[in-house]
């Protein structure tokens, strides 16, 4: 009897799935202007999931229509608002490839930077005060590049100031990661690697606390290699930049 009930339940689930799939709305015959108006109204209502469905239908049915660029921009926005960050980034990459001179490129770069920052973050560890500086930095690097490009190429953009503030955070985040690596190389007595790592920090993140903290590691590495003159230069730099 139990086996029959389980079989019946499975059959019912399959029937429900089939019903759901068959009830999907077909937008292929809806005029492009009507579909866009409906998607815009849905977006204005804050129904981002529903708006995404409509916009994806438009993007599929009218990829070269007069609304195509705005549809792609709206999709980027809805993907971001529904936390579909990898999809948002992929959509941004596609948009920038097709529309490199679009007037909203600054906004697109800003959203990609925000998406990469979110993907870099780990809220659960943050809540418990765990030091997260040694986690992988790929997303942080991507966000740093996006915001740097935005600030350098669109200094008058509405998003430039916020991008600058985020760059301060990202510089400290990336510098801490490099400092962790320099510490690791010091423990392994890989002194040439320590020097190279700290030199890179001085070039990329000269005004961060992590870089100042790494200077004694560099001085020690020079001493260990018998390069006293170089070690003394670093020590003078430390003295000239007290904490």
């Amino acid at each position: 009897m139990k086996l029959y009930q389980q079989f019946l339940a499975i059959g019912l689930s399959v029937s429900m799935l089939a019903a759901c799939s068959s009830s999907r709305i077909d937008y292929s015959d809806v005029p492009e202007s009507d579909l866009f108006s409906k998607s815009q109204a849905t977006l204005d209502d804050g129904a981002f999931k529903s708006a995404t469905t409509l916009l994806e239908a438009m993007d599929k049915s009218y990829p070269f229509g007069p609304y195509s660029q705005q549809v792609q921009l709206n999709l980027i926005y809805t993907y971001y608002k529904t936390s579909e960050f990898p999809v948002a980034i992929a959509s941004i990459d596609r948009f920038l490839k097709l529309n490199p001179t679009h007037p909203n490129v600054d906004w697109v770069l800003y959203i990609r930077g925000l998406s990469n920052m979110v993907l870099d973050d780990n809220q659960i560890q943050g809540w418990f005060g765990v030091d997260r500086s040694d986690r992988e930095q790929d997303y942080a690097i991507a966000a740093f590049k996006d915001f740097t490009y935005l600030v350098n190429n669109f200094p008058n953009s509405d998003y430039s100031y916020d991008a600058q503030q985020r760059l301060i955070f990202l510089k400290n985040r990336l510098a801490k990661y490099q400092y962790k690596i320099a510490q690791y190389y010091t423990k392994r007595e890989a002194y040439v690697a320590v020097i190279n790592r700290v030199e890179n920090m001085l070039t990329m993140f000269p005004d961060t606390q992590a870089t100042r903290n790494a200077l004694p590691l560099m001085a020690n590495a020079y001493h260990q290699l018998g390069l006293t003159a170089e070690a003394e230069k670093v020590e003078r730099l430390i003295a000239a930049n007290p904490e």
Side-chain angles (χ1 to χ4, degrees):
M1 184 64 179
K2 287 184 178 180
L3 182 61
Y4 172 75
Q5 291 174 335
Q6 291 174 352
F7 178 78
L8 184 62
I10 292 172
L12 182 60
S13 298
V14 171
S15 298
M16 291 175 65
L17 286 172
C20 290
S21 61
S22 63
S23 64
R24 289 178 181 172
I25 301 174
D26 183 7
Y27 293 107
S28 58
D29 295 328
V30 180
E32 183 179 9
S33 59
D34 292 350
L35 197 54
F36 182 76
S37 296
K38 184 173 179 58
S39 71
Q40 195 64 45
T42 307
L43 190 61
D44 291 341
D45 289 340
F48 300 115
K49 287 283 189 181
S50 298
T52 298
T53 300
L54 291 165
L55 291 164
E56 286 177 341
M58 280 198 72
D59 194 40
K60 179 180 179 181
S61 299
Y62 305 101
F64 305 109
Y67 301 100
S68 60
Q69 290 184 342
Q70 189 59 50
V71 166
Q72 291 171 34
L73 289 171
N74 289 352
L75 269 174
I76 289 168
Y77 182 66
T78 60
Y79 287 142
Y80 176 78
K81 294 296 289 185
T82 56
S83 300
E84 296 286 346
F85 302 114
V87 184
I89 290 171
S91 299
I92 289 168
D93 292 344
R94 172 196 173 203
F95 183 85
L96 290 174
K97 184 176 181 180
L98 296 173
N99 310 281
T101 60
H102 192 277
N104 289 343
V105 163
D106 59 334
W107 176 82
V108 172
L109 288 167
Y110 179 69
I111 294 297
R112 190 169 67 180
L114 292 180
S115 298
N116 277 309
M117 279 194 76
V118 173
L119 290 172
D120 179 63
D121 190 35
N122 185 324
Q123 275 192 324
I124 294 177
Q125 288 184 345
W127 288 338
F128 290 96
V130 178
D131 182 6
R132 300 170 292 159
S133 59
D134 60 349
R135 69 191 187 278
E136 288 300 321
Q137 58 175 355
D138 292 348
Y139 289 121
I141 290 173
F144 186 82
K145 289 179 179 178
D146 284 331
F147 291 135
T148 299
Y149 188 87
L150 171 58
V151 169
N152 290 341
N153 291 276
F154 304 95
N156 298 320
S157 167
D158 291 340
Y159 312 101
S160 182
Y161 176 78
D162 187 69
Q164 289 175 344
Q165 303 310 303
R166 292 177 184 278
L167 279 172
I168 295 171
F169 170 84
L170 287 166
K171 280 198 296 184
N172 283 292
R173 148 85 172 103
L174 293 170
K176 286 179 181 179
Y177 183 85
Q178 297 300 314
Y179 177 54
K180 294 281 187 181
I181 295 175
Q183 287 180 312
Y184 170 78
Y185 284 145
T186 299
K187 291 178 181 177
R188 296 291 299 270
E189 299 182 358
Y191 298 118
V192 173
V194 173
I195 292 167
N196 290 336
R197 185 67 54 169
V198 180
E199 282 182 346
N200 181 64
M201 293 175 69
L202 286 166
T203 300
M204 296 294 296
F205 319 112
D207 54 347
T208 63
Q209 185 60 47
T211 298
R212 287 191 286 272
N213 294 342
L215 289 174
L217 300 181
M218 189 183 205
N220 174 67
Y222 277 127
H223 278 301
Q224 296 295 332
L225 294 171
L227 301 172
T228 305
E230 296 300 324
E232 289 176 348
K233 288 181 183 178
V234 177
E235 287 167 350
R236 286 195 293 271
L237 182 59
I238 294 171
N241 294 274
E243 294 186 11

